[in-house]
Amino acid sequence: MRFILLVFAVFLSVLSAGLAQTTLLEENFNNCALPANWQVNLSGNQNVQWYTGFSQNSASLNQSIDNSCMLFIDDNASGNNTPGYVLNFVSPAFDASQHETVALTMDVHYYHKGGMPQQQHLDILITDGTTEQLLTRFKFARTNGSNITDHFKLNYDLRLLTKSPQARLIIRYDDSAGENGWWAGIDNIQVVGSGAGTVVLGE
């Protein structure tokens, strides 16, 4: 009987270790300031308006995704016929090599008024410091309305794309064509590692 209980205890210990979750990256911007360990890279038009807080654009319905501060890029505030730009927000590094699943969840609001095709877009990427891989793209054909509470909820397993111990997320607003766009909001970023060991089967 003692042997059976011991085996059962070991089984529970292994199972719980396999199901254990580790938060690798988390940012909800609720301090209403971009953390110092995030990098911001801007090329082109230096008058682009972005901030961490509530939307100050009078055309937006509601001011945030979930009634708290968010990362907000206001292309509309730059005006018409302005120089193009590319704006990157790069997260702190996290280790994507130690877990079977590395789950990214985040909320994204992207507003593009009208159905006219444009080059302007918002990308979410993962990088190992050398190679960038696109997770998803928002553009004129994939957009929300002007109500910021209307948003996309993303869910990706980053382990299928990278096993880097120095992985980083990149949020990129690309208006290199200098088109008249509107805005984007990002909130509630979380990367969680689950399980341990090597991925035996992946797609």
Side-chain angles (χ1 to χ4, degrees), residues 5 18 33 55 60 63 71 86 91 117 132 151 173-174 178 193 198 203:
L5 290 175
S55 168
S60 67
Q63 277 70 52
L71 176 61
V86 177
S91 79
E132 295 180 358
H151 62 277
Y173 198 103
D174 188 329
T198 302
E203 181 180 356

Side-chain angles (χ1 to χ4, degrees), residues 75-96:
D75 185 69
N76 177 244
S78 299
N80 296 328
N81 302 314
T82 54
Y85 67 91
V86 177
L87 176 61
N88 291 289
F89 300 90
V90 184
S91 79
F94 57 90
D95 189 349

Side-chain angles (χ1 to χ4, degrees), residues 147-185:
N147 190 335
I148 296 180
T149 60
D150 180 17
H151 62 277
F152 299 95
K153 298 189 73 69
L154 307 187
N155 195 331
Y156 295 96
D157 184 1
L158 301 179
R159 177 72 178 188
L160 300 177
L161 295 176
T162 184
K163 301 176 181 63
S164 172
Q166 291 291 315
R168 297 176 187 267
L169 290 177
I170 301 175
I171 300 164
R172 175 175 296 152
Y173 198 103
D174 188 329
D175 187 18
S176 51
E179 297 165 328
N180 182 28
W182 286 81
W183 58 67

Side-chain angles (χ1 to χ4, degrees), residues 107-150:
D107 296 334
V108 175
H109 168 88
Y110 181 75
Y111 179 45
H112 184 287
K113 187 176 182 180
M116 293 298 292
Q118 288 190 342
Q119 298 179 48
Q120 183 183 110
H121 54 272
L122 172 73
D123 287 344
I124 310 297
L125 308 104
I126 183 75
T127 182
D128 59 6
T130 302
T131 304
E132 295 180 358
Q133 298 191 68
L134 179 66
L135 293 174
T136 190
R137 171 170 291 179
F138 302 90
K139 54 183 181 179
F140 70 93
R142 188 183 182 202
T143 181
N144 303 120
S146 60
N147 190 335
I148 296 180
T149 60
D150 180 17

